[in-house]
Amino acid sequence: MTQGVVSENNSSVKEFILLGLTQQPELQLPLFFLFLGIYVVSMVGNLGLIVLIVLNPHLHTPMYYFLFNLSFTDLCYSSVITPKMLVGFVKQNIISHAECMTQLFFFAFFVIDECCILTAMAYDRYAAICKPLLYKVIMSHQVCFMLMVGGYTVGFVGAIAHTVSMLRLTFCDGNIINHYMCDIPPLLKLSCTSTSINELVVFIVVGVSIIVPSVTVSVSYTLILSNILRIHSTKGRSKALSTCSSHMIAVSLFFGSSSFIYFKSSPVGSVDQDKISTVFYTVVVPMMNPFIYSLRNKDVQIALSKTLKKKSSLE
């Protein structure tokens, strides 16, 4: 086994080797082009959605304000993970200790942000369907802004907690991370010092950023569905459901795959299963979100049509 570059003074690893998604040589090139394509589609989709929301005044509503932040977050944390992952398909993927901790910080920051944004979007849908007469008061500009400030603050605090607790560890048993990124579980396995504080931080931060949002989203949609079932008109019921379906799909994909990593029943699980679940919520979900929120969304389709017409008229 390849050992790390070790300091003579404190026997601490100074760089890591990321094993990547798979060790099968015949899969490296196909996977490189697959994930390169996913990354390009994710960048184009999220940037496109951001531009549409900025350029079209009729999309300047709470729902699209949150969607703007969701696309920005997806754009950022996909960029934190995917480029380094692509390197691992074409050559040995070496990352310094400082780069590893930096990747861990931004990964944690944007993933926690995503949880908070999805929760805010659930609250927005609850207000729109269950409290339509008070919607503009409940979801005022100030409230929307404070929800996002709160989300980014929680993300920053959580990321700092994870990173600082990881920096206190000494990695002296090896430097091979059986993953394509500097995620918390594989890093803890390499530590030769106690990880009890890290495990407590994971329990608290992941609990706050996954359990609390999950409960909030569940309560919101329970109230929403209860309200929808009381609508007598089939057309009205269908319209109400259509406004929530995209968000319900996005929430299920993100929380389902991320929860699998941190709340699986057995601590001794398949590393490959963990990698696949992580790929899903770090790479695939950011690509899917723009399509989930736009394919069945008439407002986005109208905005795209208007933008394209403006562009063609200028040529």
Side-chain angles (χ1 to χ4, degrees):
M1 179 181 289
T2 305
Q3 294 299 311
V5 176
V6 178
S7 165
E8 294 179 0
N9 295 328
N10 59 7
S11 299
S12 178
V13 169
K14 297 302 179 185
E15 63 182 31
F16 299 99
I17 297 173
L18 297 170
L19 284 185
L21 193 60
T22 179
Q23 293 301 294
Q24 300 180 42
E26 67 276 10
L27 294 178
Q28 300 291 338
L29 200 58
L31 286 175
F32 172 82
F33 286 110
L34 172 64
F35 284 103
L36 177 62
I38 289 174
Y39 182 58
V40 170
V41 171
S42 179
M43 292 298 100
V44 172
N46 284 294
L47 274 174
L49 205 49
I50 288 170
V51 170
L52 277 180
I53 293 170
V54 170
L55 293 181
N56 290 271
H58 77 278
L59 296 182
H60 295 176
T61 63
M63 176 181 172
Y64 293 103
Y65 174 70
F66 294 134
L67 188 53
F68 173 92
N69 282 275
L70 182 69
S71 292
F72 172 74
T73 300
D74 283 340
L75 194 71
C76 291
Y77 89 76
S78 182
S79 296
V80 168
I81 302 302
T82 310
K84 197 65 181 173
M85 174 202 242
L86 293 172
V87 172
F89 291 125
V90 294
K91 66 177 184 178
Q92 189 179 58
N93 202 355
I94 298 174
I95 185 169
S96 71
H97 183 275
E99 290 174 329
C100 187
M101 294 302 107
T102 302
Q103 186 188 59
L104 173 64
F105 172 82
F106 283 107
F107 166 66
F109 176 63
F110 288 119
V111 167
I112 295 171
D113 284 346
E114 180 114 348
C115 294
C116 295
I117 293 168
L118 289 172
T119 306
M121 292 175 79
Y123 180 66
D124 172 69
R125 292 301 83 204
Y126 160 76
I129 293 172
C130 299
K131 307 286 183 181
L133 298 178
L134 298 173
Y135 178 71
K136 289 186 177 180
V137 176
I138 295 172
M139 301 306 297
S140 65
H141 293 301
Q142 292 84 356
V143 170
C144 293
F145 178 73
M146 291 307 297
L147 283 172
M148 287 300 92
V149 169
Y152 287 117
T153 302
V154 170
F156 180 77
V157 172
I160 283 289
H162 279 310
T163 308
V164 170
S165 63
M166 195 65 71
L167 284 170
R168 56 174 287 277
L169 298 181
T170 302
F171 302 97
C172 55
D173 291 338
N175 72 327
I176 297 179
I177 300 175
N178 190 8
H179 214 291
Y180 60 85
M181 59 176 276
C182 290
D183 200 4
I184 296 166
L187 280 170
L188 294 183
K189 290 178 182 178
L190 294 180
S191 174
C192 53
T193 50
S194 173
T195 61
S196 57
I197 292 177
N198 300 75
E199 290 164 8
L200 179 61
V201 169
V202 168
F203 179 78
I204 294 171
V205 175
V206 174
V208 169
S209 61
I210 291 182
I211 293 178
V212 172
S214 296
V215 170
T216 304
V217 170
S218 298
V219 170
S220 295
Y221 275 104
T222 299
L223 295 171
I224 287 169
L225 291 174
S226 175
N227 194 76
I228 289 174
L229 291 175
R230 290 200 295 267
I231 299 175
H232 299 294
S233 163
T234 304
K235 185 178 179 181
R237 191 181 301 169
S238 176
K239 184 178 179 181
L241 279 172
S242 68
T243 64
C244 300
S245 58
S246 298
H247 185 251
M248 290 175 72
I249 294 169
V251 165
S252 300
L253 291 173
F254 182 80
F255 282 111
S257 55
S258 58
S259 297
F260 176 83
I261 298 293
Y262 297 101
F263 293 105
K264 57 185 179 180
S265 57
S266 173
V268 184
S270 167
V271 175
D272 290 335
Q273 283 183 342
D274 289 353
K275 288 182 186 179
I276 291 169
S277 295
T278 309
V279 162
F280 203 75
Y281 77 85
T282 59
V283 180
V284 178
V285 169
M287 176 199 70
M288 294 176 66
N289 277 342
F291 298 100
I292 291 172
Y293 285 105
S294 62
L295 290 178
R296 295 180 61 190
N297 190 313
K298 291 182 180 179
D299 290 335
V300 173
Q301 292 171 5
I302 291 169
L304 179 60
S305 177
K306 286 182 178 179
T307 303
L308 292 175
K309 284 179 181 178
K310 285 180 183 178
K311 183 180 177 183
S312 61
S313 64
L314 293 173
E315 291 177 351

